[in-house]
Amino acid sequence: MRLDKYLCDGLGITRKQATKLLKSGDVTLDGAKVKSGAVKVSSQSEVMWEDRAIVLRGPRYLMMNKPTGFVCSHEDGFNHTVFVLLDEVRYDDLHFAGRLDVDTTGLLLITDDGKWSHRITSPKHKCDKTYRVWLADPVQEEYANAFQQGILLRNEKEPTLPAELEIISDNEVLLTIHEGKYHQVKRMFAALGNRVEALHRERIGQIVLDETLEPGEYRDLSPQEIESIFSK
């Protein structure tokens, strides 16, 4: 591969921008400064720019502990987007495998593999999602049965799929749903006359939020976590 093409793919820049970087003298190939984009890069070559290794990556699979106040979007006129928390090249290629609201925290999966994310978001695959929910009013005894039977949401023709409710305390529950309707968890509790005060996603499928990640931190998924999406 030509060096200029390698820079384009590794940094997500145009051929013109790659040529400009090379002319600056800040790009090295195997320790030597190179200004020609025509130089060939082998699979064993080490390409550096401003002392940063440029590595061509395959599909990316990231887990983030999303903090409150950030939106799952590339652009937003009012709030910061999750992408400002990422130290990734070519972040325009990334998308979310299941968005979270601006005020919802927890497990957020980010990828550039559309087939993989489709397994999570497509209704036909019924991918489980578990949320920790804090409610304004105490949990009522009939909630568990209501979630198991399915709840008809406003402006919906069919009730939700059966969901599992685990009571943690008077105002805290764990809820596992098997679909991903718009604002579904909040709407389900609203239909029961309650209000969600805080919402935190802990699990998607078999992928559980890494407890070592502070809000705003992220890491690559392990091969086992990536493959788990196809195991169902």
Side-chain angles (χ1 to χ4, degrees), residues 78-149:
F78 301 97
N79 301 284
H80 289 301
T81 78
V82 167
F83 288 104
V84 304
L85 302 172
L86 296 178
D87 182 20
E88 297 286 323
V89 299
R90 302 178 66 180
Y91 66 84
D92 285 342
D93 295 340
L94 295 168
H95 61 272
F96 305 101
R99 297 171 182 265
L100 291 176
D101 296 338
V102 63
D103 59 347
T104 302
T105 61
L107 178 60
L108 183 63
L109 299 180
I110 306 170
T111 184
D112 51 12
D113 184 341
K115 181 179 178 181
W116 187 81
S117 62
H118 181 74
R119 290 283 303 195
I120 296 172
T121 58
S122 174
K124 73 176 183 178
H125 294 299
K126 301 177 182 178
C127 183
D128 299 349
K129 305 167 188 72
T130 299
Y131 295 83
R132 188 171 294 272
V133 190
W134 291 270
L135 299 166
D137 299 316
V139 182
Q140 302 299 308
E141 291 183 3
E142 64 269 18
Y143 281 10
N145 184 62
F147 280 110
Q148 187 61 44
Q149 295 298 317

Side-chain angles (χ1 to χ4, degrees), residues 8-9 16 31 35 48 51 72 83 113 115 127 132-133 136 142 153 155 170 185-186 189 198 207 220 223 227 229:
C8 290
D9 291 349
K16 183 177 180 180
K35 293 189 177 183
M48 305 281 291
D51 298 323
C72 294
F83 288 104
D113 184 341
K115 181 179 178 181
C127 183
R132 188 171 294 272
V133 190
E142 64 269 18
L153 304 178
N155 298 325
D170 287 349
V185 175
K186 295 177 181 177
F189 280 103
I207 302 175
D220 292 318
E227 287 301 317
I229 293 300

Side-chain angles (χ1 to χ4, degrees), residues 170-182:
D170 287 349
N171 295 74
E172 181 182 348
V173 301
L174 286 177
L175 178 67
T176 298
I177 61 175
H178 309 280
E179 54 194 329
K181 295 179 182 293
Y182 179 71

Side-chain angles (χ1 to χ4, degrees), residues 25-90:
D26 292 330
V27 177
T28 63
L29 177 62
D30 296 328
K33 289 185 178 181
V34 181
K35 293 189 177 183
S36 172
V39 174
K40 296 296 183 180
V41 179
S42 72
S43 58
Q44 289 77 38
S45 298
E46 181 183 58
V47 179
M48 305 281 291
W49 170 56
E50 293 185 342
D51 298 323
R52 175 182 178 181
I54 306 302
V55 180
L56 297 187
R57 299 183 58 177
R60 288 173 283 179
Y61 307 92
L62 309 174
M63 167 196 296
M64 174 182 284
N65 184 1
K66 178 191 172 296
T68 187
F70 290 80
V71 294
C72 294
S73 173
H74 279 279
E75 294 183 4
D76 187 88
F78 301 97
N79 301 284
H80 289 301
T81 78
V82 167
F83 288 104
V84 304
L85 302 172
L86 296 178
D87 182 20
E88 297 286 323
V89 299
R90 302 178 66 180

